[in-house]
Amino acid sequence: MTQMQIHEAVAASLPPGPREHLTSPVTRTVLRVQNEITAAARDYLGGDGFVEMLPPIIGPVTDPGARGAKQVDIDFYGHRYKLMTSAILYKQASLLAFDKIFYIAPNVRLEPLETSSTSRHLAEFHQIDVECAHATREEILLVAQGLVSHIVRRVTERMPAELVFLGRDPRAFDALLSGGFGRMTHREATQELHDLGHDQSHDAEIDWEGERILSAEYERPFFITDYPKGSRGFYDRENPAMPGTLRNFDLIAPEGYGELCSGSEREYEYRQIVARIRETGENPAKYGWYLDLVREGIKGSSGFGIGLERLTRYICGLDSAWQANAYPKLPGRVSP
C-alpha cells in the first residue's frame, strides 16, 4: 500500500467530531458497556487479591517492544522523558510493594500509518495491566482466561439489551463461556497460516493480517504461546528447556477481531536482562533506574496487558477500536 493509499484509507475511516461522537446513542451505549467491563475487571482481580495501583504516564524510559511504533519524547525539566507506550517495567517494580497488582493504564504509541487499516490500532489507548509475583506463564495465562470470561459473562447477563441495540447477539459468546480457551504454539500458528495461504515468517511475531486470518477460523478465544526469541522485548523470559523460545503468549479473539492481550513470564535476573538488552542493540545505561532495582533484586513474575478498547470492540461487535474510545486518536490523524 502506498502512502497515498494509506492516507486515503485513514480518511475513509475517520471518526466524527467530538460533539457528534459523544452524543451518538451508539457511542453512549458502547461506553456504558465499557464501564461495565472495567467494573467487572476490578471485581474479579480485587476478589483474587490483586491491588489496583495508579501507573506513571511519563518516565525516563518506556517499553521498547512496541512493534513499529514510535515513542513520544517530552522535556521533563531539561531531561528527555517518554510517554508510556506500556508500563511493563513499572509493573515489575510495583511488585516491591505488593505481590499482585493491576493498572488500568493509558498508553501512547505513534503507530505506523499502515495500522490505520487494521481497525484495531489507536495512537492513544488503555490496557488492563496485570502482574503477579512468583507466577508461572501457565498460572497467569489462567488469570487472563478467567478475567476475560468473567467480564463477558457479566456483560451478557447485565447488559443484553445494550448488546442487542449494538447488533451483537449475546449468543455469540456461548462457545467462550462453555469452556477453556484454545491453545497453539507459535510454530503451529505459523504452519496453519501457511496452510491457509498466508506467508508468515517462523522467526517473527504473527503479523496483523495473520492474526486476523487465524482469528476468523475460530469461535472462541485462543492463546498462541512460545514466540521465538528476538520477536519480543527483553523482559519476556527465555525458556531454559527450549533455548530460543520465550515463555510468553498472546490471546486472540475469535471472529476476526484479532489480538486482545499479550503476556509472559518475565526476566528478572540482572545478567540475563543486560545480555538481552544488548542483544537488541540498545545501551543498558538508558535503563539505569530499572537495572538498579534489578541488581538489588526484584521478584520473578508473570503478567499481561489486555487492550481495553479492543476488548470492548470484540464484546460490542464494533467495526473499529476507535468506536470504543471517547476521544479517539487514529494513526496519522490529528484530532482533539
Side-chain angles (χ1 to χ4, degrees):
M1 181 178 288
T2 67
Q3 288 295 104
M4 179 62 73
Q5 289 172 322
I6 289 170
H7 283 289
E8 288 173 350
V10 171
S13 61
L14 292 181
R19 179 176 297 277
E20 182 181 353
H21 182 53
L22 291 170
T23 58
S24 163
V26 171
T27 301
R28 289 186 295 190
T29 302
V30 169
L31 295 181
R32 281 197 294 268
V33 173
Q34 190 172 83
N35 181 70
E36 194 69 34
I37 289 171
T38 56
R42 288 186 165 106
D43 285 350
Y44 182 86
L45 293 169
D48 197 23
F50 286 84
V51 176
E52 182 173 6
M53 294 181 67
L54 301 178
I57 300 173
I58 64 172
V61 70
T62 187
D63 176 9
R67 52 176 169 172
K70 295 180 180 179
Q71 300 174 2
V72 179
D73 293 338
I74 65 167
D75 183 344
F76 186 67
Y77 303 103
H79 297 270
R80 180 178 290 180
Y81 268 43
K82 308 285 187 182
L83 295 182
M84 289 295 108
T85 60
S86 164
I88 169 60
L89 306 182
Y90 290 91
K91 288 201 296 179
Q92 287 184 279
S94 293
L95 297 179
L96 295 171
F98 305 103
D99 277 354
K100 292 181 168 185
I101 64 99
F102 75 98
Y103 309 145
I104 297 181
N107 295 265
V108 177
R109 300 178 186 175
L110 299 184
E111 299 282 3
L113 282 176
E114 56 265 28
T115 61
S116 63
S117 63
T118 67
S119 301
R120 296 190 284 119
H121 288 83
L122 294 170
E124 181 183 63
F125 63 98
H126 300 79
Q127 284 193 161
I128 303 172
D129 267 315
V130 177
E131 198 75 16
C132 184
H134 314 303
T136 65
R137 180 186 65 185
E138 280 63 38
E139 289 168 336
I140 204 68
L141 186 149
L142 292 176
V143 173
Q145 176 177 292
L147 175 59
V148 171
S149 297
H150 176 80
I151 289 170
V152 169
R153 181 174 289 107
R154 179 155 155 174
V155 170
T156 55
E157 289 177 353
R158 296 191 180 188
M159 309 191 80
E162 286 80 358
L163 294 179
V164 170
F165 173 79
L166 294 169
R168 185 62 154 154
D169 186 346
R171 292 173 298 179
F173 306 105
D174 286 351
L176 182 158
L177 295 173
S178 66
F181 298 173
R183 191 183 300 197
M184 67 180 72
T185 66
H186 177 273
R187 181 168 293 278
E188 290 168 338
T190 300
Q191 185 57 55
E192 183 168 342
L193 283 170
H194 278 273
D195 293 344
L196 291 168
H198 183 73
D199 187 19
Q200 170 65 48
S201 169
H202 289 281
D203 301 317
E205 286 193 284
I206 306 297
D207 60 39
W208 295 308
E209 179 62 12
E211 287 175 355
R212 187 197 64 77
I213 291 170
L214 277 179
S215 172
E217 294 293 308
Y218 293 88
E219 295 183 350
R220 73 176 69 187
F222 59 94
F223 293 102
I224 301 176
T225 65
D226 303 312
Y227 280 74
K229 184 181 178 183
S231 67
R232 292 288 171 91
F234 63 78
Y235 41 78
D236 282 13
R237 188 168 178 80
E238 186 173 5
N239 188 341
M242 297 174 60
T245 302
L246 301 173
R247 295 276 295 163
N248 62 359
F249 64 90
D250 278 355
L251 176 60
I252 310 297
E255 304 176 66
Y257 286 96
E259 180 202 331
L260 291 178
C261 165
S262 289
S264 73
E265 281 185 28
R266 313 302 192 189
E267 295 286 5
Y268 63 94
E269 297 168 322
Y270 177 78
R271 291 179 182 273
Q272 185 66 14
I273 289 176
V274 170
R276 291 284 302 280
I277 291 174
R278 286 177 173 153
E279 285 173 1
T280 67
E282 290 200 278
N283 183 355
K286 69 183 288 188
Y287 297 95
W289 75 268
Y290 171 73
L291 291 176
D292 286 345
L293 288 180
V294 174
R295 187 187 295 108
E296 294 168 7
I298 61 172
K299 299 170 183 176
S301 67
S302 293
F304 59 84
I306 297 176
L308 178 57
E309 285 86 356
R310 289 184 181 186
L311 180 59
T312 306
R313 178 193 175 217
Y314 164 56
I315 292 175
C316 292
L318 305 175
D319 293 329
S320 179
W322 70 256
Q323 296 170 285
N325 190 295
Y327 302 96
K329 294 177 180 63
L330 274 67
R333 167 68 172 174
V334 177
S335 55

